[in-house]
Amino acid sequence: MITTDFATGSPCWLDLGAPDVAATARFYKAVFGWEFEPFSAEDAQYGFFKLDGKVVGGIGPLTEEGARSAWMIYFRTPDAAVTTEAVRRAGGTVRVEPMDADGEGRMAQFTDPQGGQFAVWQPGSFGGVDVVDAPGALSWTELYTTDAAAAKEFYGSLFDWQTQDMDLPGGGGTYSLITPSGLPPERMHGGLMQLPSEALALNGGRPYWHPVFGTTDCDATVAKVTAHNGTVQMGPEDAAGVGRLAVCVDPSGADFVVLAPTEG
């Protein structure tokens, strides 16, 4: 489970790049009940997503020409500059050099050697999202990659993640569970899975991370997604020991998963 004590290497923040911030905010309000709150009165394009007054993520306009709309997941680091150099040594690419965020912290964005984009957050006055592991909030993170072994080596060199492989039912392949360094299995925060490039058409055949959001009723949430011009890539379907889930895509093309976890 993801918690808000944000151990090193655990997901602590996520934001969405959208071609139309107002329209995208309306979609997520309809699906999850999130309210959009601008960071400042001077700039209504960047802001928080809030659920019952608690921050669950952020949103802003796309800033890179040709970029697709997507969720960016930020992992906690004690030093963004040190992590940036580690990314370079391990063969990754630095997309955004470490930069200050108005005293709230420092961030940097990267691409792993296979092409998956991710980011890190070094907290200052702002630690990250207010709520996790709850309906309408981040509950898991997932990487679809073309080379699971290489991805485990790369991210392990950055965050010292512990991984545990499990076979998916029906010959569906291997899924690797991720836990922050030195923490027990109940602190697992995500997983990674190897897929052929043709299965990654959403991102032009390149690997990508996406968030998993909790829900109390997967089918009802999926109905809201499709009713508001989103689409469904997979599901809803039951995953033994996990819950009922579906892979969804918002109207601008950003993918996410909704999961109603198995009780107990």
Side-chain angles (χ1 to χ4, degrees):
M1 64 183 292
I2 298 175
T3 68
T4 55
D5 64 0
F6 303 134
T8 294
S10 66
C12 61
W13 179 245
L14 69 165
D15 57 24
L16 174 63
D20 185 331
V21 169
T24 302
R26 288 193 294 270
F27 169 81
Y28 285 97
K29 181 176 182 179
V31 173
F32 294 118
W34 295 348
E35 299 288 345
F36 172 68
E37 181 180 296
F39 288 158
S40 68
E42 293 77 25
D43 188 354
Q45 285 292 293
Y46 292 89
F48 291 117
F49 280 129
K50 288 189 171 183
L51 181 63
D52 299 328
K54 296 181 178 180
V55 176
V56 294
I59 184 174
L62 287 172
T63 56
E64 293 182 55
E65 186 174 349
R68 80 173 182 100
S69 183
W71 284 96
M72 180 70 70
I73 297 172
Y74 294 69
F75 299 99
R76 173 73 170 265
T77 179
D79 192 318
V82 169
T83 302
T84 297
E85 291 311 308
V87 167
R88 288 193 172 101
R89 288 195 303 272
T93 302
V94 179
R95 297 176 54 249
V96 178
E97 294 281 352
M99 59 182 291
D100 292 323
D102 297 325
E104 294 185 341
R106 286 173 59 80
M107 59 81 69
Q109 295 186 355
F110 313 111
T111 303
D112 71 29
Q114 286 71 51
Q117 296 183 351
F118 68 106
V120 294
W121 178 255
Q122 175 187 334
S125 61
F126 181 76
V129 292
D130 291 332
V131 58
V132 293
D133 199 37
L138 182 69
S139 61
W140 192 252
T141 60
E142 197 164 57
L143 172 65
Y144 291 164
T145 182
T146 51
D147 190 333
K152 285 190 284 188
E153 181 177 356
F154 172 78
Y155 289 100
S157 72
L158 301 184
F159 303 120
D160 195 28
W161 283 343
Q162 305 167 92
T163 58
Q164 176 184 339
D165 292 346
M166 59 177 285
D167 293 328
L168 295 175
T174 300
Y175 192 87
S176 299
L177 300 164
I178 301 167
T179 306
S181 178
L183 293 182
E186 57 265 27
R187 289 293 302 274
M188 287 176 184
H189 65 250
L192 64 87
M193 183 177 179
Q194 181 168 312
L195 294 170
S197 59
E198 55 266 27
L200 305 176
L202 191 66
N203 198 37
R206 298 183 303 277
Y208 55 90
W209 285 93
H210 58 210
V212 178
F213 298 117
T215 180
T216 56
D217 188 326
C218 181
D219 294 66
T221 301
V222 167
K224 292 176 183 178
V225 168
T226 56
H228 292 87
N229 300 316
T231 57
V232 180
Q233 281 196 313
M234 184 195 77
E237 63 181 42
D238 295 318
V242 177
R244 189 162 177 80
L245 57 85
V247 180
C248 303
V249 181
D250 73 21
S252 298
D255 59 302
F256 61 96
V257 176
V258 293
L259 170 67
T262 301
E263 293 185 7

